[in-house]
């Protein structure tokens, strides 16, 4: 489908909605289970293109994956040292998490593996992972001076060396890659981040018997012995707050809404959007608070309200990095200006999201957005019209533009199918609010 028309909503969003599984947790559940020796039953798995890229890679590395149904699978590995040299090229597709975490996992292995990915992933910076892994003794080569796909991870010929690495970026993908490599190193490995990023790796490794130590923004992992690594019988993936984000914003904006989002992961390293929306005047209540697979989860009840602009920056960024496009929709309909700083990482996501937000929002509300090198200023409360807009093949841009159209005067969205990367049922759910 080349273009999709999204109509304006004519009534508030009501009822209950179950949010699909968390993408970050789904990736990790398959990767970590593939290092165990016993079967792990994974439920509420996100059946979307990115996570299926991870499944295909782990199968190629020797894990057994049985799909019970769309959202349930059983993964059985061959032990911590049981991965096998793949006889195919590992295709990470659009998924930065698949590629960066697997580089860390494969760097210490006594075999070679070759990675490819789609056009978007082939432009994204991989030096941020290759450089620290190489400092540990990994042998990784890639295009453009070992910074871009295609990438080959070679047998290092010896154990990797534990080290302390001060990362210039707050990135869970970088942190996780180094920690995974650190499990196989000859001494403890510490990653220090400028601001703490999402901690799903640390939380899930704990469920496999692997302890990490957190000290401020530093995380340390020790070499892990075979017998220490014990797979749990089951992992329940909580719902993805990054997918919930679209409904949190849309229900806040559309008058008459009273919507319950069931089973949303509320790990504090991911809940920046709840803090920002609250600061903008949103009404979001937590009910049924619990833990799901070692992660906090809750049902979130949103009641529409008038929003106003806000300001946030670098310290908040890792807690809402993927939600900036959705927050930028809220900001467009809010009263007053929203100023977002310290957001340079958005330029190296699936597309340059700072530029994409400025270009597309300005088609719908001319003069509403100014993008700086690492910032966005969004003038809220301007007249919003219908326009042809581009998703750039970026799932989060597509879904944000769709809710922008639904809250405003509609959009005609180019390359809409990319929502399959993280939320294949997104348009069906949006349609259910229109019927
Ligand atoms: C992710 C980390 C974040 C996020 C991405 C998923 C993860 O990326 O944007 O969607 O699962 O670790 P960075 O670590 O590059 O910030």
């Amino acid at each position: 489908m080349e273009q999709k028309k999204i109509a304006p909503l004519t009534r508030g969003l009501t009822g209950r909605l179950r949010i699909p599984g968390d993408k970050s947790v789904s990736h990790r559940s398959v990767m970590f289970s593939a290092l165990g020796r016993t079967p792990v039953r994974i439920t509420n798995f996100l059946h979307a293109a990115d996570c299926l890229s991870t499944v295909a890679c782990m199968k190629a590395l020797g894990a057994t994956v049985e799909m019970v149904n769309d959202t349930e699978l059983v993964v059985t590995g061959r032990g911590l040292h049981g991965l096998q040299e793949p006889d195919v090229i590992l295709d990470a597709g659009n998924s930065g998490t698949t590629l960066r975490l697997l580089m860390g996992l494969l760097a210490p292995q006594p075999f070679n593996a070759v990675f490819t990915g789609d056009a978007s992933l082939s432009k994204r910076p991989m030096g941020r992972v290759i450089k620290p892994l190489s400092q540990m003794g990994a042998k990784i080569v890639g295009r453009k001076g070992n910074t871009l796909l295609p990438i080959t991870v070679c047998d290092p010929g010896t154990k990797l060396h534990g080290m302390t690495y001060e990362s210039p970026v707050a990135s869970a993908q970088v942190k996780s890659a180094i920690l995974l490599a650190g499990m196989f190193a000859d001494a403890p490995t510490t990653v220090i981040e400028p601001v703490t990023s999402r901690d799903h790796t640390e939380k899930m490794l704990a469920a496999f018997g692997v302890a990490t130590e957190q000290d401020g923004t530093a995380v340390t992992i020790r070499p892990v012995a075979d017998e220490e690594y014990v797979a749990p019988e089951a992992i329940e993936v909580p719902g993805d707050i990054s997918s919930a984000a679209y409904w949190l914003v849309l229900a806040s904006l559309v008058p008459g809404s009273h919507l319950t989002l069931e089973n949303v992961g509320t790990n504090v390293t991911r809940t920046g959007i709840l803090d920002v929306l609250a600061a903008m005047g949103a009404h979001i209540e937590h009910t049924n608070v619990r833990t799901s697979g070692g992660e906090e989860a809750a049902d979130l009840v949103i009641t529409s309200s008038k929003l106003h602009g806000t300001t946030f920056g670098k310290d908040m960024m890792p807690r809402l990095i993927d939600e900036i496009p959705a927050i930028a929709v809220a900001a467009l309909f809010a009263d007053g200006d929203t100023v977002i700083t310290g957001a340079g990482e958005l330029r190296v996501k699936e597309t340059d999201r700072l530029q994409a937000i400025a270009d597309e929002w300005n088609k719908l509300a001319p003069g509403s957005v100014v993008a700086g090198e690492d910032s966005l200023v969004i003038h809220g409360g301007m007249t919003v019209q219908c326009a042809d807009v581009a998703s750039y093949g970026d799932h989060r841009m597509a879904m944000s533009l769709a809710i922008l159209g639904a809250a405003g005067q509609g959009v005609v969205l180019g390359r809409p199918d990319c929502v399959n990367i993280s939320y294949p049922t997104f348009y069906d759910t949006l349609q259910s609010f229109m019927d």
Side-chain angles (χ1 to χ4, degrees):
M1 197 192 315
E2 285 300 297
Q3 280 194 321
K4 188 172 182 73
K5 264 196 187 140
I6 307 287
L9 275 167
T10 52
R11 59 174 170 87
L13 286 72
T14 54
R16 303 180 73 82
L17 181 60
R18 203 169 169 79
I19 297 299
D22 186 271
K23 183 155 78 71
S24 292
V25 176
S26 294
H27 282 300
R28 288 160 172 81
S29 69
V30 175
M31 288 181 194
F32 300 178
S33 297
L35 298 175
R37 285 192 179 281
T38 48
V40 183
R41 181 169 296 271
I42 302 168
T43 52
N44 201 35
F45 177 76
L46 175 63
H47 193 98
D50 263 16
C51 301
L52 295 177
S53 294
T54 291
V55 167
C57 289
M58 297 323 293
K59 278 182 169 174
L61 288 161
T64 306
V65 181
E66 181 207 338
M67 298 295 301
V68 179
N69 58 47
D70 264 12
T71 59
E72 186 171 331
L73 62 174
V74 178
V75 178
T76 314
R78 296 159 183 263
L80 198 55
H81 297 277
L83 294 179
Q84 294 171 351
E85 185 168 72
D87 55 14
V88 293
I89 293 174
L90 299 175
D91 188 353
N94 190 249
S95 174
T97 307
T98 306
L99 177 59
R100 293 197 177 113
L101 268 60
L102 284 187
M103 281 198 277
L105 189 54
L106 297 192
Q109 308 301 331
F111 56 74
N112 302 336
V114 184
F115 284 101
T116 187
D118 73 2
S120 157
L121 194 60
S122 300
K123 288 192 211 116
R124 296 179 64 188
M126 297 303 146
R128 54 178 59 195
V129 173
I130 295 175
K131 190 175 143 225
L133 292 175
S134 301
Q135 284 174 17
M136 296 174 80
K139 296 205 164 26
I140 306 177
V141 289
R143 192 163 54 90
K144 288 263 162 76
N146 304 331
T147 62
L148 294 178
L149 279 175
I151 286 166
T152 303
V153 181
C154 298
D155 177 355
T158 170
K159 268 200 166 202
L160 297 190
H161 309 301
M163 67 163 183
T164 295
Y165 183 69
E166 204 162 327
S167 177
V169 284
S171 161
Q173 295 179 355
V174 172
K175 173 176 66 176
S176 301
I178 298 169
L179 293 178
L180 291 176
M183 291 203 296
F184 299 87
D186 60 3
T189 298
T190 300
V191 185
I192 305 169
E193 296 190 282
V195 181
T196 298
S197 63
R198 64 188 67 187
D199 64 357
H200 302 302
T201 293
E202 298 89 308
K203 281 211 152 84
M204 197 178 289
L205 282 178
F208 283 78
V210 177
T212 52
E213 279 159 44
Q214 179 94 34
D215 180 8
T217 65
V219 190
T220 301
I221 197 161
R222 281 161 213 293
V224 179
D226 230 348
E227 63 281 3
E228 282 176 81
Y229 195 90
V230 180
E233 278 177 21
I235 297 174
E236 186 195 353
V237 179
D240 197 332
I241 193 166
S242 298
S243 298
Y246 308 104
W247 314 120
L248 290 168
V249 169
L250 193 57
S252 294
L253 291 175
V254 180
S257 295
H258 186 74
L259 180 68
T260 301
L261 302 178
E262 292 176 351
N263 185 35
V264 181
T266 49
N267 176 321
V268 73
T269 63
R270 296 284 300 282
T271 49
I273 184 169
L274 299 179
D275 297 349
V276 165
L277 287 176
M280 295 177 82
H283 291 171
I284 301 169
E285 221 184 290
H286 288 56
T287 61
N288 194 11
V289 176
R290 60 196 183 280
T291 54
S292 166
E295 294 270 354
E296 299 84 39
D299 296 348
L300 301 180
V301 185
I302 313 119
T303 309
S304 49
S305 57
K306 189 71 201 129
L307 301 186
H308 49 81
T310 189
T311 299
F312 59 93
K314 180 173 154 276
D315 288 350
M316 184 65 110
M317 212 44 63
R319 294 183 56 228
L320 46 62
I321 186 75
D322 294 336
E323 287 69 74
I324 297 286
I327 291 169
V329 175
L332 185 65
F333 292 98
D335 284 337
D337 290 353
T338 292
V339 180
I340 304 173
T341 55
E345 274 296 296
L346 266 77
R347 292 209 180 269
V348 291
K349 290 296 175 188
E350 284 81 333
T351 192
D352 176 347
R353 287 183 182 158
L354 290 186
Q355 195 58 49
I357 290 169
D359 289 349
E360 302 316 301
W361 271 229
N362 284 331
K363 289 178 189 167
L364 292 153
S368 59
V369 178
V370 180
E373 205 176 311
D374 70 347
S375 64
L376 283 175
V377 177
I378 302 163
H379 303 301
M382 296 182 60
T383 303
V384 177
Q385 63 202 23
C386 181
D388 279 23
V389 287
S391 74
Y392 305 86
D394 177 335
H395 55 131
R396 302 211 187 279
M397 288 303 302
M399 291 185 274
S400 299
L401 285 161
I403 60 161
L404 199 168
Q409 300 301 313
V411 291
V412 181
L413 180 59
R415 295 178 66 189
D417 291 348
C418 55
V419 302
N420 291 329
I421 293 296
S422 65
Y423 200 163
T425 54
F426 173 81
Y427 294 121
D428 293 340
T429 300
L430 183 57
Q431 186 59 45
S432 74
F433 295 124
M434 309 257 176
D435 296 337

